[in-house]
């Protein structure tokens, strides 16, 4: 991030430089990201060229292959046609595209076995090295983040958005692959194992090994296997990790070795959050997709403009979207829905069966607009699906799982909404959003992590939206006492 006058006076440090103890740093960083402090605006950081320039490998286009890598990537991570500057149609972090995909391909894929780096702009895979001997059929995709563009835009609020965006990318890959392959997803594998498997150095060693290249932080992995392929007791990631390091990226001007303190702190946090020494192989959950999803639906996903989100949904559609969010992945955050219409209220899924359970009466949307970086359009949206939890003193495993799972689930819920003909828009930035305290519970225990704004199609006969002047009768609709963040102009990406 370019220095301001204030930032220039701060000590400059790299990823490996001594910073506060990691648990204390994480707790302080979580509180800061949730605070009303507005990040200092900085000059736009242009996206750097794709760092791996090895020859691209053509898709084999063999109808007999089990895993069509071209199709999976085209429907998940490829830059959509006709949308210059956007790599994915449904970003959770301001369309800054921090997520990169490293492909670990075994036999049975439409590309030859080996390690690859995927370029979403050109939809090409660049070979970086061979596969291990005896690798089982199928593919791994290791998802990493490069932090600097997002930090330049969002400052101290960037690192939760990097986690959310990784969850969205994992969901996109899983949904695209689940039609023709068995898909497993891990959101908690050890970052060191993921780095080694992808042929990357650990983040603190990056500049020493590859000077002038920007560090990448692995946060999640997706596995695609031919249907019926047995799952091993120990993940084959260890066989990939035993290989020598894969080819290096091209050094680039500006991928600095001494970043400003805010970027260094973000990198330090990401490295700490990704560590999982107790269970390095991670937990692998099967991924499924709702029956309504087709390839055409996945290709049609877009973040809708706010003006298309003002019609309230009926309860049946809302129940289906909520069920999708709750079902993938397990052990994720809790879910609540703020509904507009003539009788606005907060709902959760009914315990033990379908339907909605009333949590509070009143219009919470104006408060949600205040909490969501001042995006006033949220106050008039039809409904807002909310992922919440992650206490203020949560350990790193909970912080990681809460945000990655929320991003994954919102990505799946948005795809399902698209299949049902419902416009939607993810909302990633939340400040002072202590939902539990607003509902009268213990403060600091139940924070909003992510959201998905939803609307009924304009042609649907829905209940009229609640007039803006209607007072909110419950604590859920009472704004916090701190000053509001500046409003975001309708239709623009969220920016603090």
């Amino acid at each position: 991030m370019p220095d301001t006058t204030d930032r220039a006076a701060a000590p400059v440090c790299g990823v490996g430089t001594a910073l506060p103890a990691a648990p204390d740093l994480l707790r302080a960083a979580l509180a800061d990201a949730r605070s009303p402090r507005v990040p200092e605006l900085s000059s736009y950081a242009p996206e750097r060229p794709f760092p791996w320039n090895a020859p691209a490998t053509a898709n084999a286009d063999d109808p007999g292959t089990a895993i069509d890598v071209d199709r999976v990537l085209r429907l998940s991570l490829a830059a959509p046609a006709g949308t210059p500057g956007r790599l994915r149609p449904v970003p959770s972090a301001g369309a800054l595209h921090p997520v990169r995909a490293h492909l670990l391909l075994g036999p049975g894929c439409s590309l030859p076995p080996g390690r690859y780096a995927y370029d979403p702009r050109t939809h090409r895979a660049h070979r970086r090295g061979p596969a291990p001997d005896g690798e089982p059929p199928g593919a791994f995709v290791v998802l990493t983040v490069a932090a600097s563009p997002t930090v330049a835009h969002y400052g101290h609020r960037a690192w939760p958005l990097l986690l959310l965006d990784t969850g969205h990318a994992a969901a996109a890959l899983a949904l695209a692959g689940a039609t023709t392959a068995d898909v497993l997803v891990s959101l908690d594998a050890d970052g060191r194992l993921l780095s080694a498997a992808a042929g990357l150095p650990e983040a603190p060693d990056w500049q020493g090994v590859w000077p002038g290249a920007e560090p990448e932080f692995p946060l999640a992995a997706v596995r695609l296997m031919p249907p019926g392929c047995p799952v091993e007791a120990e993940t084959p990631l260890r066989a990939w990790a035993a290989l020598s390091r894969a080819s290096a990226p091209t050094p680039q001007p500006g991928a600095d070795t001494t970043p400003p303190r805010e970027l260094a702190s973000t990198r330090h946090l990401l490295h700490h959050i990704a560590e999982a020494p107790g269970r390095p192989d991670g937990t692998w959950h099967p991924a499924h997709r709702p029956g309504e999803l087709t390839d055409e639906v996945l290709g049609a996903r877009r973040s809708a403009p706010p003006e298309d989100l003002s019609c309230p949904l009926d309860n049946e559609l809302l129940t289906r979207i909520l069920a999708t969010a709750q079902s993938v992945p397990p052990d994720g955050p809790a879910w609540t829905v703020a509904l507009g219409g003539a009788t606005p209220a907060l709902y959760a899924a009914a315990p033990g069966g379908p339907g909605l359970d009333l949590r509070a009466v009143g219009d919470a949307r104006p408060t949600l607009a205040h909490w969501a970086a001042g995006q006033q359009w949220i106050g008039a949206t039809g409904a807002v699906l909310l992922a919440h939890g992650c206490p203020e003193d949560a350990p790193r495993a909970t912080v990681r799982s809460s945000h990655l799972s929320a991003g994954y689930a919102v990505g799946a819920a948005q795809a399902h909404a698209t299949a049902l003909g419902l416009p939607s828009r993810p909302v990633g930035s939340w400040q002072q959003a202590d939902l539990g305290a607003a509902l009268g519970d213990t403060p600091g225990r139940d924070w909003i992590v992510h959201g998905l704004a939803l609307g009924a199609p304009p042609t649907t006969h829905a209940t009229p939206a609640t007039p803006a002047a209607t007072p909110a009768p419950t604590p859920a609709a009472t704004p916090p006492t701190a000053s509001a963040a500046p409003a975001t102009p309708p239709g623009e990406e969220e920016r603090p």
Side-chain angles (χ1 to χ4, degrees):
M1 180 189 299
D3 285 334
T4 63
T5 302
D6 292 339
R7 284 191 175 122
V12 171
C13 51
V15 176
T17 304
L19 288 169
D24 294 337
L25 177 63
L26 178 58
R27 191 174 297 111
L30 190 60
D32 199 21
R34 291 168 167 174
S35 77
R37 181 169 77 90
V38 178
E40 300 174 42
L41 299 182
S42 59
S43 301
Y44 172 71
E47 186 179 0
R48 300 187 181 101
F50 187 68
W52 277 273
N53 60 358
T57 304
N59 204 59
D61 197 24
D62 179 358
T65 55
I67 308 295
D68 187 346
V69 178
D70 174 87
R71 174 192 160 275
V72 171
L73 293 172
R74 174 170 45 81
L75 292 174
S76 58
L77 303 183
T83 53
R86 292 174 181 265
L87 301 190
R88 290 197 305 284
V90 287
S92 63
L96 298 177
H97 320 296
V99 183
R100 294 176 180 170
H102 293 269
L103 316 178
L104 316 180
L105 306 184
C109 295
S110 57
L111 291 174
R115 283 174 170 142
Y116 297 82
Y118 175 64
D119 184 352
R121 289 201 184 280
T122 62
H123 187 48
R124 292 290 183 270
H126 297 260
R127 186 175 173 85
R128 298 184 53 231
D133 294 335
E135 172 63 10
F140 285 95
V141 183
V142 175
L143 296 173
T144 68
V145 293
S148 60
T150 306
V151 173
H153 191 79
Y154 290 95
H156 62 283
R157 297 177 181 174
W159 66 268
L161 298 174
L162 292 165
L163 297 173
L164 293 176
D165 206 62
T166 304
H168 273 262
L173 284 162
L175 294 174
T179 299
T180 58
D182 290 336
V183 180
L184 299 174
V185 179
S186 178
L187 305 179
D188 62 353
D190 181 50
R192 290 170 294 184
L193 176 62
L194 294 177
S195 287
L200 306 172
E202 286 192 59
D205 304 327
W206 193 288
Q207 291 297 340
V209 175
W210 291 338
E214 181 171 12
E216 296 182 25
F217 300 84
L219 294 170
V222 177
R223 186 180 183 188
L224 298 91
M225 301 180 296
C229 182
V231 178
E232 308 84 348
E234 184 177 274
T235 173
L237 279 176
R238 291 185 178 272
W240 287 97
L243 293 175
S244 58
R245 190 173 293 125
S247 63
T250 302
Q252 297 173 342
D256 39 62
T257 57
T258 54
R261 188 169 186 83
E262 207 160 72
L263 178 56
S265 296
T266 297
R267 290 173 172 172
H268 184 71
L269 273 173
L270 291 172
H271 179 63
H272 173 64
I273 288 170
E275 289 182 329
R279 291 180 56 88
D281 293 289
T283 307
W284 294 82
H285 299 289
H288 307 285
R289 69 181 195 175
E292 297 91 341
L293 291 189
T294 64
D295 287 3
E296 290 72 21
V297 166
L298 293 178
R301 290 169 301 161
R302 294 292 183 273
S303 289
E307 58 268 21
D308 291 348
L309 300 169
S310 58
C311 295
L313 281 70
D314 63 58
N315 284 6
E316 191 273 334
L317 288 174
L318 206 53
T319 298
R320 294 171 71 182
I321 299 298
L322 180 58
T324 294
Q326 288 185 308
S327 66
V328 287
D331 304 323
W335 295 90
T336 294
V337 174
L339 185 63
T343 55
L346 286 174
Y347 293 92
L356 299 175
D357 188 39
L358 183 66
R359 290 199 67 187
V361 176
D363 193 354
R365 295 172 302 165
T367 295
L368 297 178
H370 176 92
W371 284 345
Q375 298 181 89
Q376 298 305 314
W377 60 268
I378 294 173
T381 199
V384 187
L385 180 67
L386 302 169
H388 53 94
C390 195
E392 59 188 12
D393 57 352
R396 63 184 177 188
T398 301
V399 172
R400 180 182 179 181
S401 65
S402 296
H403 289 82
L404 289 175
S405 297
Y408 186 101
V410 167
Q414 184 174 33
H416 193 187
T418 302
L420 298 175
L422 306 176
S424 59
R425 186 179 182 91
V427 183
S429 190
W430 295 90
Q431 286 74 50
Q432 302 174 278
D434 190 341
L435 182 64
L439 292 171
D441 297 332
T442 303
R445 312 308 302 165
D446 197 15
W447 295 80
I448 296 176
V449 175
H450 200 14
L452 180 67
L454 295 155
T459 56
T460 299
H461 297 292
T463 308
T466 305
T470 301
T474 71
T478 303
T481 57
S483 59
T488 300
E492 292 189 8
E493 296 292 343
E494 59 181 270
R495 182 177 179 119

